[in-house]
Amino acid sequence: MAKVKICGLANYNDALDATNLGADFLGFHFIKESPKKVSEKMVRDIVSKLPPFVVPVGIFKDEEQKVISKTVKKCSLKNIQFNGNETPEFCKAAREGLGVKVFKFFKLENDESLLPLESYIGSVDYFVFDVSYADGEAVKQNYALVAKAGNLKVPFFISGQIKPEDIPETLEIAVPFGIDGDSGIERLPKRKDYDKMNAFIRYSHGLK
């Protein structure tokens, strides 16, 4: 069984569906260039209606600390994710200064991409590893790198266009703390597919 983070949520109905289906974390993009960027007002409204066992996560990329601080306070966020070039020092300052848990995203493509990870130990609470790579038109997962990254003993989420049917292999080989669902469970660019999201969450939680 793995935790589930449904990311790229861009409307209230999808957030409500994800909550009712049993998602553990809900990810909202505050990244300026993201096509799934959401407003503080929408996230604040959603967070105010969430049960205590569902955790909202604000996702930022190379943003100023003061902007992050304002959004965290406005939306009552206790978890944030950094998808850019944020340093360990930047992550630690946000973690301690805002009293939040921090996810740090990394694209794992080769052994070289593993090198920075160790310097983040003690500065973040979770890693998020995008391990997808293109093979013609198909997207596959590179789990060999995850095995090495797992030795760092930091709880990690697997991401990268993962679909419900990918989850059994993901759980067996990568043994992640959690799995990230986003584009692999979409019906449209800013709309999740209810049935795919349901299957994604159930498979990740070890249900059939």
Side-chain angles (χ1 to χ4, degrees):
M1 176 177 172
K3 298 289 186 181
V4 177
K5 180 151 67 74
I6 301 296
C7 274
L9 290 163
N11 61 81
Y12 177 77
N13 288 338
D14 283 347
L16 179 65
D17 286 342
T19 299
N20 290 336
L21 290 170
D24 304 288
F25 298 86
L26 305 182
F28 300 96
H29 283 231
F30 292 103
I31 301 170
K32 291 170 188 169
E33 63 271 24
S34 171
K36 299 173 189 176
K37 184 180 185 298
V38 292
S39 69
E40 291 177 342
K41 181 182 183 307
M42 191 194 90
V43 175
R44 187 173 69 243
D45 289 346
I46 290 172
V47 170
S48 70
K49 297 179 176 75
L50 289 178
F53 53 85
V54 182
V55 180
V57 182
I59 302 171
F60 302 88
K61 182 179 180 181
D62 299 323
E63 188 55 90
E64 295 179 20
Q65 283 275 22
K66 62 181 180 182
V67 175
I68 297 167
S69 177
K70 179 175 79 75
T71 302
V72 164
K73 289 172 183 172
K74 241 181 174 179
C75 299
S76 302
L77 299 174
K78 298 296 183 187
N79 288 248
I80 57 178
Q81 178 173 316
F82 291 134
N83 279 21
N85 297 307
E86 297 85 2
T87 63
E89 294 76 21
F90 186 95
C91 294
K92 190 171 186 179
R95 187 188 190 198
E96 295 177 353
L98 297 174
V100 295
K101 289 191 174 182
V102 173
F103 295 70
K104 182 67 182 79
F105 173 94
F106 295 92
K107 174 73 172 171
L108 296 190
E109 298 177 296
N110 48 46
D111 284 343
E112 214 169 88
S113 58
L114 297 171
L115 296 178
L117 300 182
E118 194 167 353
S119 64
Y120 285 84
I121 296 174
S123 297
V124 302
D125 298 277
Y126 307 101
F127 287 142
V128 179
F129 297 139
D130 181 344
V131 294
S132 61
Y133 63 95
D135 178 19
E137 292 184 6
V139 173
K140 297 185 178 180
Q141 311 302 324
N142 187 352
Y143 293 123
L145 290 172
V146 177
K148 297 177 183 178
N151 292 330
L152 297 173
K153 307 300 182 188
V154 175
F156 64 87
F157 286 71
I158 294 287
S159 74
Q161 303 182 50
I162 296 175
K163 298 174 182 173
E165 57 267 28
D166 300 326
I167 289 175
E169 183 182 30
T170 304
L171 292 175
E172 183 179 350
I173 300 175
V175 197
F177 175 79
I179 304 181
D180 231 307
D182 192 346
S183 56
I185 53 172
E186 285 182 341
R187 179 165 53 86
L188 296 168
K190 295 176 80 169
R191 299 288 300 190
K192 301 302 184 200
D193 183 292
Y194 182 90
D195 292 333
K196 288 180 181 178
M197 186 158 60
N198 183 30
F200 189 99
I201 293 171
R202 288 181 65 81
Y203 292 168
S204 298
H205 284 168
L207 304 171
K208 294 190 178 180

